[in-house]
DNA sequence: ATGCATCAAGAGACCGGTCTCATTTAAAAA
DNA sequence: TTTTTAAATGAGACCGGTCTCTTGATGCAT
C-alpha cells in the first residue's frame, strides 16, 4: 500500500494499538505524549499510526481532561473594524498559547448574547471573553462563573460583576475630546452614539446600560458643565445602531433650528455615516461642521479633511484580554483586575475654530 | 434552598436521573429531547434538572453523535474588512441553521493554515470553509475530505480540488476595470497585489499560486494586450502583503522614470496605503494619478476623490459558502459546485481621463 | 545474591452523553 | 375478556480518549 487510503472509519488509539501489537494504554501514551514508553514501543506505535493515518479526536480528549483548549469570544459585530482588530488581538494571543477561538456575534442583542454564551459554555470552552451588550442583564454572565469558567469583559466593564476587564480610558478620552472642541470655541456639540434605550432619547446617564458609553457621556457632560454650557444634555443622541439609523439621526440633528457646530461620533462606523451625510448635503468640513470620532480606523487618515480621532489600543485590548484569561486558566486566583488602557487624541484636520466658521451646517433643503 | 448554588461539580444526566427517580436512559431522553417519555416522567426530570441547574455537556453529546454543530473557518486575516464581512455572512448563515463558528487566522501562511486545519479537524468540526493561501500546497485540504468533512473554498478556487467553491468573477472584474482605464486613455497602468512569490517579481501567471489573483492578472494583461499595450506585464507588482510593503512598493513604483498614470489595487487595504502615499507626496488624485480598487470598503465613498471600486458581494459570498456547506452537511451529494458571483464596477471619481492629466505623478523628492 | 527503586506495559474504569435492545405497562382491537 | 400493538422504561454497551492501579522487568546499591 502506498497511500493512506481514506478509511471508511477513522482510526482510533485502539486500532493503532492492535496493529502495533501493544495495549491501548501504551498506544495512548505514545499518541497522547504522556507517561513513559520504551523506544521500541514508541516506534511501533508511530509506524502503525502513520499506516492507519491516525488523527486524534480532540473531542474525546477534551471530555476526559475537562479542557478543550478553546476560548469563546462574544462580540457585538465582527464587521465593525473595532471588533475586527480586537478579535485579531485575541486570536493571536490565543494561538501563541495553543488556544483556539470560537467566535459568536451577538448583534448587540442580549437574547442572542445569552444564547451564544449558553452554547459556548455547553461546548465547554475553557473561558470566555465577552463584550456585553448591556450591563443590566447579567444573569447569563454570572452563570459563566457558576459553570466554573473564567470570564474577561472586553471594552465594557460591569461594576456589579467581580471579573477581570480590559477597557480603554473612555471617560478621560471623552473629556479630552470635548475639551478640545470647547477650547476651539464650540458650544453646540453633539454626541452621537450607538445605544439601546427604548426611547432613543437621552434623559439621564443612569439610563445608559453600557459602561463605556455612559462614561463617555459623563465625560462629555462634565466638560460641558465646566465650560458653562447649559444645554449639553440635549445634544446627546442615542440609537445610532445601524448606518441607516445613524443617517436619519444625523439628518435630524443637522436640520434642527440650531444645528451643532461639532459632532463627536462614538465609533468609526458612525463617523463614516456622518461624513457621508455632510458630504451629500454639501456641508463643508471642518468649516461648517467639525467632527471627532472614537476609534482610529484606517480610513480616518485619508479623508478630506482627515479626521481627528481618539486612538484606542484596540488590538492590544484584545491581546490583553486573552492573556488575562489564559492566566486565569493557568490557575491565577487573584482578585478581579481591571485593566484600563490609555487612549490618545490624534489631532488631524476635522476640527475647526468656531469663530472661523463660514456658515451654519444646518440642512436647509427639504 | 432558593438559589441553584454553584455546585462543586456540574450535574450530569445520571445526577438528574437519580434525583428524579427514573433511569439514566429516561432522563437522557427528556434532556436530550428524543425518544418517547410520559408526561409524568418528563415533569419529574425537568424539575430535578432545574433543581440541580443541569447543563448539557455538548462535548459528550458530540462524541456520540459524531456531529459537533460547529463549522471551522480559516481566513487570511480577520482584520481585513473583506474577511470581516465574509465572516459575518458565514456566521449569520451558520447561526440561522444552528451552527457555531470556530475561527482561525492563517496570516496567509501555509504552515499556519495547515496547523489550523489540523486542529479544527481534530476538534471534529462538521465542515470547513477555507480561503486557502496557496493553491500549490493542497495536501492538508485534501485531508479534510479524507477525514470525511466537507470543505468549501471561499474567494479562491482551486481547480485541482473537487470541492465546492464560492468566488467573485475576478477575471471579468479585472477586465472591466482595466478596460475602463484604457478607455480613459491610460496606458501605463500598474496592478498592485498581495501575493507571495519568493522574488516579489512578476514573470508569468503560472507563478501565481492564488487563483483569484491570477485570474485578475490575466484579465488585466488580456485587456492590455487587446489595446496593444506591450509593456503591461512589467506593471504587475506583487508583494503588497503588509501596509509597509505596500508603501515601499508604491513609492518605488511612482519613482520610476515613467511612473504609471493609474493604479489598480487588489484590495482596500492596499488602496488605502496607496492613497496615503499619494497624499503625502502631494500627488493630486485623480489628475496626476488614477486609482481603482477591488472591494467596496465603506471608506472608499468618503475620500476626496471617492474611489472607483469593484464591488464584490462579500457578505453574500460568506453566506453562500456557509449555506453550501450546510447543504453538504445535510446529505447533499451532488458534484462539486462552483458558485461565481457577479461583481459590479462602481464608478466614483478617482479615475481621470488621461489627456487631462496636468502632471506626471512621479515622486521627485527622494 | 538480595533488596529496593524505577521504568514499561497492560487491564480496565471513567468522562457524560446517546442509543439499541429487551421488558414492562397501558391502551386499542377482537 | 383475551389478544394485539404501541408506548414507556430500564439496563447496559458505546464513543475515543485519559488515567489510575497493578504487575512484570530491569538496574543499582548493599
Amino acid at each position: 500500500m502506498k497511500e493512506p487510503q481514506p478509511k471508511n472509519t477513522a482510526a482510533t488509539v485502539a486500532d493503532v494499538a492492535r496493529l502495533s501489537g501493544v495495549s491501548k494504554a501504551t498506544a495512548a501514551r505514545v499518541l497522547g505524549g504522556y507517561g513513559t514508553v520504551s523506544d521500541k514501543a514508541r516506534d511501533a506505535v508511530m509506524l502503525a499510526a502513520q499506516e492507519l493515518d491516525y488523527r486524534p479526536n480532540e473531542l474525546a480528549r477534551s471530555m476526559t481532561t475537562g479542557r478543550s483548549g478553546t476560548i469563546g469570544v462574544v462580540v457585538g459585530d465582527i464587521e465593525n473594524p473595532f471588533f475586527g482588530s480586537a478579535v485579531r488581538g485575541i486570536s493571536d494571543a490565543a494561538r501563541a498559547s495553543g488556544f483556539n477561538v470560537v467566535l459568536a456575534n451577538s448583534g448587540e442583542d442580549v437574547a442572542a448574547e445569552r444564547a451564544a454564551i449558553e452554547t459556548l459554555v455547553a461546548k465547554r470552552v475553557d473561558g470566555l471573553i465577552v463584550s456585553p451588550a448591556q450591563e443590566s442583564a447579567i444573569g447569563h454572565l454570572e452563570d459563566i462563573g457558576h459553570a466554573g469558567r473564567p470570564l474577561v469583559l472586553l471594552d465594557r466593564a460591569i461594576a456589579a460583576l467581580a471579573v477581570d476587564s480590559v477597557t480603554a480610558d473612555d471617560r478621560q478620552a471623552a473629556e479630552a475630546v470635548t475639551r478640545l472642541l470647547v477650547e476651539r470655541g464650540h458650544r453646540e456639540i453633539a454626541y452621537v452614539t450607538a445605544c439601546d434605550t427604548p426611547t432613543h432619547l437621552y434623559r439621564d446617564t443612569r439610563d445608559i446600560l453600557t459602561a463605556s458609553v455612559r462614561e463617555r457621556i459623563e465625560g462629555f457632560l462634565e466638560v460641558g458643565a465646566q465650560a458653562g454650557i447649559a444645554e449639553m444634555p440635549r445634544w446627546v443622541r442615542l440609537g445610532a445602531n445601524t448606518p441607516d439609523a445613524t443617517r436619519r439621526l444625523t439628518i435630524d440633528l443637522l436640520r434642527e433650528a440650531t444645528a451643532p457646530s461639532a459632532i463627536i461620533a462614538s465609533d468609526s462606523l458612525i463617523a463614516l455615516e456622518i461624513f457621508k451625510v455632510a458630504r451629500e448635503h454639501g456641508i463643508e468640513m471642518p468649516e461648517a461642521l467639525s467632527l471627532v470620532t472614537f476609534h482610529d480606523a484606517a480610513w480616518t487618515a485619508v479623508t478630506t479633511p482627515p479626521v481627528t480621532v481618539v486612538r484606542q489600543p484596540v488590538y492590544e485590548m484584545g491581546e490583553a484580554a486573552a492573556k488575562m484569561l489564559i492566566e486565569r486558566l493557568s490557575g491565577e486566583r487573584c482578585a478581579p483586575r481591571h485593566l484600563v488602557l490609555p487612549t490618545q487624541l490624534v489631532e488631524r484636520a476635522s476640527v475647526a475654530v468656531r469663530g472661523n466658521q463660514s456658515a451654519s451646517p444646518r440642512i436647509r433643503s427639504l
Side-chain angles (χ1 to χ4, degrees), chain A residues 234-251:
Chain A
R234 94 169 182 84
W235 292 114
V236 175
R237 295 305 159 96
L238 311 175
N241 299 313
T242 65
D244 261 6
T246 306
R247 161 168 299 267
R248 277 195 300 275
L249 198 153
T250 305
I251 292 177

Side-chain angles (χ1 to χ4, degrees), chain A residues 256-307:
Chain A
E256 294 194 6
T258 57
S261 64
I263 300 183
I264 304 173
S266 74
D267 72 41
S268 64
L269 260 28
I270 295 174
L272 187 73
E273 206 59 31
I274 294 175
F275 212 107
K276 281 189 192 170
V277 170
R279 176 174 279 229
E280 285 164 21
H281 290 83
I283 298 173
E284 296 284 321
M285 287 196 356
E287 294 78 11
L289 180 65
S290 294
L291 178 65
V292 188
T293 186
F294 280 78
H295 187 207
D296 184 19
W299 61 268
T300 54
V302 299
T303 48
T304 306
V307 185

Side-chain angles (χ1 to χ4, degrees), chain A residues 145-163:
Chain A
H146 294 164
R149 319 270 145 183
L151 163 67
V152 176
L153 261 22
L154 179 67
D155 186 47
R156 303 163 186 177
I158 296 182
L161 230 44
V163 300

Side-chain angles (χ1 to χ4, degrees), chain A residues 63-82:
Chain A
M63 206 174 69
T64 38
T65 59
R67 325 200 76 203
S68 62
T70 300
I71 72 185
V73 177
V74 183
V75 297
D77 174 17
I78 353 145
E79 246 183 315
N80 185 330
F82 178 92

Side-chain angles (χ1 to χ4, degrees), chain A residues 135 195 197 202 204-210 213-214 217 238:
Chain A
E135 66 184 342
C195 202
T197 54
Y202 172 77
D204 193 282
T205 49
R206 278 166 301 184
D207 297 340
I208 309 295
L209 298 172
T210 307
V213 174
R214 188 180 49 248
I217 294 179
L238 311 175

